[in-house]
């Protein structure tokens, strides 16, 4: 069973249907919108601010979302946060993709429909314009999201809604 617990006077809120894997942890001020999902080993720790996950967004295995000092994490609608990504005290707008092992730091804003490539580092306070592709360490804008990339991102996010429903339907074996 997932670790879902309060911290102080703040408690996680899950709008149904939302999927939380058995090994995920939601602590404190965390709000999951309908059709959002948090997969295995992910940690969402809202102890010093709030974490909001938008409708249809997915937080993949091993990702860590944590609030900065008086900085929340806001994940928009239809966003993918890839495996083992670190998202800290920042905003990710609708239809964006944060790649596997990417890091997005305090105060950063990832614009609508942008892609942060696998392994990229978006430094503190960086503002990424909508529809940008960010790559590298430190992350630099390398171009605009193509229509093909945009379609792939949308298909991936929609697929995770279905995937989460399938995982939720499977019994846990003991």
């Amino acid at each position: 069973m997932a670790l879902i617990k309060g911290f102080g006077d703040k408690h996680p809120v899950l709008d149904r249907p939302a999927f939380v894997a058995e090994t995920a942890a939601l602590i404190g001020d965390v709000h999951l919108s309908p059709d959002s999902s948090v997969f295995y080993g992910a940690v969402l720790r809202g102890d010093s601010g709030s974490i909001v996950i938008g409708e249809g967004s997915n937080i993949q295995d091993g990702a860590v979302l944590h609030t900065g000092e008086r900085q929340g994490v806001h994940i928009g609608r239809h966003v993918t946060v890839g495996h083992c990504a670190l998202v800290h005290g920042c905003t990710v707008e609708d239809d964006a993709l944060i790649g596997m092992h990417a890091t997005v730091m305090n105060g950063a804003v990832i614009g609508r429909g942008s892609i942060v490539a696998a392994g990229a580092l978006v430094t503190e306070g960086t503002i990424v314009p909508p529809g940008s592709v960010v790559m590298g360490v430190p992350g630099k804008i390398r171009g605009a999201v193509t229509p093909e990339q945009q379609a792939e991102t949308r298909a991936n996010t929609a697929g995770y809604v279905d995937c989460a429903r399938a995982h939720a339907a499977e019994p846990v074996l003991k």
Side-chain angles (χ1 to χ4, degrees):
M1 169 156 255
L3 174 62
I4 300 175
K5 67 182 260 181
F7 184 83
D9 63 347
K10 303 294 185 184
H11 299 276
V13 175
L14 283 65
D15 293 341
R16 301 290 180 198
F19 169 70
V20 180
E22 291 80 7
T23 58
L26 277 59
I27 298 138
D29 193 356
V30 177
H31 181 186
L32 299 184
S33 297
D35 287 328
S36 62
S37 54
V38 179
F39 279 85
Y40 305 92
V43 176
L44 283 65
R45 185 161 58 95
D47 51 6
S48 61
S50 64
I51 297 174
V52 177
I53 308 300
E55 182 178 354
S57 291
N58 63 88
I59 311 303
Q60 295 180 3
D61 311 69
V64 175
L65 281 65
H66 185 236
T67 55
E69 190 63 36
R70 295 177 302 283
Q71 292 179 307
V73 173
H74 181 82
I75 305 294
R77 298 176 54 184
H78 310 291
V79 169
T80 291
V81 175
H83 305 288
C84 298
L86 173 59
V87 178
H88 201 279
C90 62
T91 297
V92 180
E93 295 180 349
D94 297 349
D95 303 311
L97 175 114
I98 307 301
M100 295 181 282
H101 285 277
T103 300
V104 183
M105 297 297 295
N106 288 343
V109 176
I110 307 302
R112 181 185 185 108
S114 291
I115 295 174
V116 175
L121 169 64
V122 177
T123 57
E124 191 167 347
T126 298
I127 307 299
V128 175
S132 299
V133 175
V134 177
M135 301 172 80
V137 178
K140 302 256 188 248
I141 295 171
R142 304 293 183 181
V145 173
T146 66
E148 294 81 15
Q149 290 170 318
Q150 188 177 51
E152 279 182 31
T153 298
R154 284 187 183 137
N156 180 69
T157 305
Y160 261 89
V161 171
D162 294 336
C163 181
R165 288 179 182 150
H167 278 265
E170 288 294 323
V172 176
L173 302 177
K174 295 187 184 202

